[in-house]
């Protein structure tokens, strides 16, 4: 199977080239030319399989130029019990009669980014080799939190790669800072940049577009690459867990073979929910895809009106990984429905120039047939955390709470009681302050530092602190460098010399 670009139908490349390159040269995103189908018989077989075997079934249908051996190696390196603290990798927890929580946060950094970033480095390594490139891949990331740490954990000690992460000196939580500054691995570097996230981000962007620097690195056999969610190698592993959740529900006889479920996803960049849409197009019995946003509800409006408009206020919320106004992966959905790269290129031009676009009636209709859009403000999010615990004894994080709240509204508004898989994207320990403030009160916890918050959540709610967070207080700090934005290139060069 080959891959084309959302902005140029004439492009056709193998999956290894799509993954090695990341982005098509004219700015479009790589996308499979056709969608492989999986029959109900196949799904029933998969119900008897382990997560790793299920992953092979799905990935094998998309990465057709990978050998069995290559795929097995990637999958077996990524999805281990050691890294995910459970052999189920992504277990499903039945919270009540129609809400099933898909726990995507058992990986090393306690957020769902691990599901893709644990395997992406291996897929990239194989892809680069298959392309006959001798290069060393240097991953460069600017992070406001979750992605940086997940990328560090994924790429550390993976041969043929180095990873450099910059985070804003003012703009990450103390847990997040510690998680990064204590990072293990022989091929990693972490630096703080004076300023906020925009400073770190614009510094990294400048380096990515510096042609002269690119040539300089090329001479040394190195190429910069990004680990962000537009790479197909990050999206395709996310399709697996929707199949896996359905298979688990079949196996537990919670559903009958072929029975339709709904899926509800707390959404930011539209990657996670797009993976669910792929699963649906492949044949997984999904009725509605419920897209849950926080107060930054640009996607809710898009689904309801067909107009995407980023010209609006930006809010900082307690679900920071969803504080996004441009959802990059939406471009792939527009292409999947329109099948017209010129039309998509025009929408993207309008988005850059005017900050908004309106889609065709065809896209609008297909979107509203498949998706439901809703959002939860801070009060509703907090209420969902409290309610889930008080009614069902289950503690959820702030991102998952947005999804639970939107799903509750969906059921109220539509009367649709279909069993629903709710994607749970972070462990409550990762956002312990906001979770405890919702369960108890802000005043009650204001004197507790991050580690006392972990203990409080664990002791009072009978939850086990994830190992990676529990160990943090004792870990040695390896990276303490702080630099200015304009020193970033020099810092990178120095690290790469060693
Ligand atoms: C990244 C992230 C999201 C948003 O996922 P998208 O694929 O960008 O829509 C939601 N929750 C958490 C905890 C995340 O880290």
């Amino acid at each position: 199977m080959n891959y084309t670009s959302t902005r140029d139908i004439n492009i056709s490349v193998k999956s290894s080239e799509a993954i090695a390159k990341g982005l098509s040269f004219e700015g479009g995103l790589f996308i499979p030319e056709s969608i492989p189908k999986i029959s109900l018989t196949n799904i029933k077989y998969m119900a008897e399989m382990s997560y790793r075997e299920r992953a092979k079934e799905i990935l094998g249908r998309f990465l057709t130029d990978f050998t069995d051996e290559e795929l097995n190696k990637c999958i077996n390196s990524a999805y281990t019990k050691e890294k995910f603290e459970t052999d189920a990798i992504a277990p499903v927890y039945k919270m009540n009669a129609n809400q099933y929580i898909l726990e995507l946060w058992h990986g090393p950094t306690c957020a769902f980014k691990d599901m893709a970033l644990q395997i992406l480095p291996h897929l990239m390594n194989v892809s680069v080799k298959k392309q006959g490139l001798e290069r060393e891949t240097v991953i460069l990331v600017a992070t406001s939190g979750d992605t940086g740490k997940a990328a560090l954990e994924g790429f550390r000690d993976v041969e043929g790669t180095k990873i450099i992460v910059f985070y804003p000196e003012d703009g990450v939580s103390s847990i997040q800072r510690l998680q990064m500054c204590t990072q293990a691995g022989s091929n990693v570097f972490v630096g703080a940049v004076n300023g906020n996230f925009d400073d770190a981000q614009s510094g990294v962007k400048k380096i990515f577009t510096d042609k002269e620097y690119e040539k300089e690195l090329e001479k040394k056999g190195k190429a910069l690459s990004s680990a962000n969610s537009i790479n197909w190698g990050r999206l395709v592993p996310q399709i697996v867990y929707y199949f896996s959740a359905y298979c688990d529900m079949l196996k537990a006889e919670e559903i009958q073979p072929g029975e339709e479920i709904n899926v509800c996803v707390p959404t930011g960049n539209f990657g996670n929910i797009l993976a669910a849409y792929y699963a649906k197009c492949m044949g997984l019995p999904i009725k509605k895809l419920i897209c849950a946003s926080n107060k930054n509800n640009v996607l809710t409006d898009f689904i309801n009106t067909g107009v995407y408009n980023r010209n609006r206020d930006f809010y900082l919320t307690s679900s920071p990984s969803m504080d996004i106004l441009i959802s990059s992966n939406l471009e792939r959905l527009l292409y999947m429905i329109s099948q017209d790269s010129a039309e998509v290129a025009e929408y993207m031009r309008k988005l850059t120039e005017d900050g908004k676009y309106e889609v065709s009636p065809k896209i609008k209709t297909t979107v509203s047939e498949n998706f439901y859009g809703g959002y939860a403000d801070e009060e509703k999010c907090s209420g969902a955390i409290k309610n889930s615990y008080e009614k069902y004894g289950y503690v959820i994080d702030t991102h998952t709470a947005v999804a639970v709240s939107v799903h509750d509204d969906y059921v109220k508004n539509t009367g649709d009681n279909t069993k629903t898989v709710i994607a749970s994207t972070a462990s409550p320990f990762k956002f312990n302050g906001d979770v405890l403030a919702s369960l108890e009160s802000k005043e009650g916890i204001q004197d507790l530092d991050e580690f006392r918050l972990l203990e409080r959540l664990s002791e009072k709610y009978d939850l086990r602190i994830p190992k990676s967070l529990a160990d943090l207080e004792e870990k040695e700090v390896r990276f303490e460098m702080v630099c200015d934005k304009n020193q970033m290139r020099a810092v990178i060069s120095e690290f790469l010399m060693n």
Side-chain angles (χ1 to χ4, degrees):
M1 179 201 304
N2 272 7
Y3 288 72
T4 186
S5 160
T6 51
R7 298 191 201 175
D8 185 355
I9 189 108
N10 297 312
I11 285 169
S12 181
V13 301
K14 292 207 166 86
S15 68
S16 55
E17 191 174 347
I19 293 171
K21 281 201 169 126
L23 197 66
S24 188
F25 72 93
E26 83 297 338
L29 308 187
F30 288 115
I31 189 156
E33 287 176 353
S34 61
I35 294 177
K37 296 279 187 266
I38 294 204
S39 69
L40 193 56
T41 314
N42 262 319
I43 294 173
K44 280 193 259 176
Y45 278 131
M46 282 170 64
E48 301 305 317
M49 294 179 180
S50 69
Y51 190 87
R52 285 180 289 277
E53 290 165 325
R54 290 169 185 169
K56 179 131 186 257
E57 289 293 313
I58 305 299
L59 297 184
R61 283 168 165 83
F62 284 100
L63 311 179
T64 48
D65 56 328
F66 281 54
T67 65
D68 271 3
E69 201 189 336
E70 286 165 343
L71 267 183
N72 282 335
K73 207 174 147 209
C74 292
I75 291 166
N76 294 335
S77 310
Y79 301 121
T80 64
K81 185 173 178 192
E82 193 206 345
K83 285 176 170 165
F84 284 81
E85 295 190 50
T86 157
D87 219 22
I89 308 296
V92 175
Y93 176 83
K94 182 176 183 179
M95 188 164 80
N96 56 49
N98 69 344
Q99 293 181 318
Y100 294 74
I101 308 290
L102 172 56
E103 297 179 346
L104 299 173
W105 40 259
H106 289 277
T109 76
C110 310
F112 101 100
K113 303 276 190 300
D114 289 329
M115 296 304 301
L117 280 167
Q118 279 298 312
I119 194 167
L120 174 71
H122 302 286
L123 297 175
M124 205 178 253
N125 201 10
V126 171
S127 297
V128 166
K129 279 197 193 132
K130 289 181 97 61
Q131 290 298 304
L133 303 169
E134 291 288 320
R135 72 171 202 214
E136 178 179 62
T137 304
V138 181
I139 303 292
L140 182 58
V141 182
T143 185
S144 57
D146 288 347
T147 306
K149 177 61 185 177
L152 284 164
E153 274 300 319
F155 280 93
R156 75 154 153 152
D157 295 327
V158 173
E159 59 159 311
T161 69
K162 284 207 165 75
I163 174 158
I164 302 167
V165 170
F166 287 105
Y167 69 87
E169 175 72 351
D170 348 302
V172 295
S173 75
S174 19
I175 285 243
Q176 285 175 324
R177 181 193 306 269
L178 263 178
Q179 274 190 314
M180 290 190 274
C181 293
T182 57
Q183 179 64 46
S186 57
N187 62 339
V188 304
F189 180 83
V190 177
V193 180
N194 281 317
N196 60 22
F197 176 61
D198 277 339
D199 294 310
Q201 169 96 328
S202 61
V204 160
K205 273 204 179 134
K206 208 169 140 198
I207 293 165
F208 267 121
T209 49
D210 186 337
K211 291 278 171 224
E212 193 191 317
Y213 193 51
E214 190 184 327
K215 279 204 195 103
E216 197 181 303
L217 287 176
E218 202 182 305
K219 273 192 213 138
K220 294 180 185 143
K222 299 180 199 302
L224 288 179
S225 186
S226 125
N228 71 20
S229 73
I230 53 182
N231 192 308
W232 177 251
R234 250 189 86 171
L235 204 101
V236 68
Q238 300 186 348
I239 302 172
V240 176
Y241 47 72
Y242 292 107
F243 278 92
S244 182
Y246 192 90
C247 288
D248 282 351
M249 288 166 77
L250 261 187
K251 196 162 183 202
E253 297 182 5
E254 294 291 332
I255 49 173
Q256 297 301 313
E259 183 176 336
E260 283 190 321
I261 59 167
N262 289 335
V263 169
C264 178
V265 185
T267 303
N269 221 352
F270 209 76
N272 202 358
I273 195 165
L274 186 73
Y277 183 62
Y278 264 101
K280 178 175 164 131
C281 295
M282 291 171 75
L284 190 68
I286 296 176
K287 188 159 74 179
K288 274 277 177 202
L289 297 148
I290 299 160
C291 175
S293 301
N294 65 23
K295 209 174 160 194
N296 296 295
N297 57 1
V298 59
L299 284 167
T300 312
D301 290 347
F302 171 71
I303 290 168
N304 292 330
T305 66
V307 177
Y308 194 95
N309 188 352
R310 64 154 302 189
N311 304 313
R312 58 177 70 214
D313 290 336
F314 175 75
Y315 302 102
L316 291 173
T317 73
S318 58
S319 44
S321 301
M322 299 159 69
D323 291 343
I324 284 176
L325 289 183
I326 297 192
S327 300
S328 333
N329 269 300
L330 190 62
E331 181 172 346
R332 285 197 166 103
L333 180 71
L334 301 179
Y335 181 85
M336 286 169 82
I337 300 173
S338 69
Q339 294 288 313
D340 185 338
S341 56
E343 183 180 327
V344 175
E346 179 62 12
Y347 295 142
M348 293 304 119
R349 189 190 62 75
K350 283 190 178 145
L351 181 63
T352 310
E353 283 169 20
D354 315 332
K356 67 183 239 191
Y357 59 87
E358 177 166 11
V359 293
S360 68
K362 178 182 170 191
I363 295 184
K364 200 178 153 189
T365 309
T366 310
V367 166
S368 54
E369 278 164 9
N370 288 282
F371 293 84
Y372 170 94
Y375 76 99
D377 61 18
E378 295 292 90
E379 200 184 323
K380 281 194 146 180
C381 167
S382 178
I385 293 173
K386 201 171 167 65
N387 188 55
S388 297
Y389 180 70
E390 286 176 355
K391 258 192 168 152
Y392 313 116
Y394 186 73
V395 181
I396 53 178
D397 94 294
T398 47
H399 302 76
T400 310
V402 167
V404 168
S405 168
V406 168
H407 181 254
D408 286 341
D409 285 349
Y410 169 82
V411 174
K412 254 183 238 142
N413 294 341
T414 62
D416 178 8
N417 269 314
T418 303
K419 288 175 179 158
T420 300
V421 167
I422 297 178
S424 177
T425 51
S427 154
F429 284 101
K430 194 147 191 189
F431 297 93
N432 48 24
D434 286 311
V435 169
L436 280 166
S438 303
L439 292 171
E440 303 172 16
S441 73
K442 265 207 173 76
E443 294 70 39
I445 57 161
Q446 65 191 6
D447 297 329
L448 305 179
D449 71 16
E450 292 277 358
F451 294 102
R452 307 296 83 73
L453 290 171
L454 290 178
E455 283 163 8
R456 169 82 148 245
L457 194 56
S458 167
E459 282 157 18
K460 208 159 158 193
Y461 301 90
D462 196 22
L463 298 168
R464 196 172 49 84
I465 305 177
K467 199 171 167 319
S468 58
L469 296 180
D471 292 349
L472 215 50
E473 206 170 7
E474 264 70 59
K475 275 204 175 145
E476 177 205 354
V477 171
R478 296 183 62 205
F479 301 100
E480 291 179 292
M481 194 225 50
V482 186
C483 70
D484 278 336
K485 200 163 102 174
N486 56 20
Q487 296 172 315
M488 287 164 78
R489 200 177 121 168
V491 167
I492 294 171
S493 294
E494 197 190 320
F495 170 64
L496 291 180
M497 264 177 31
N498 301 322

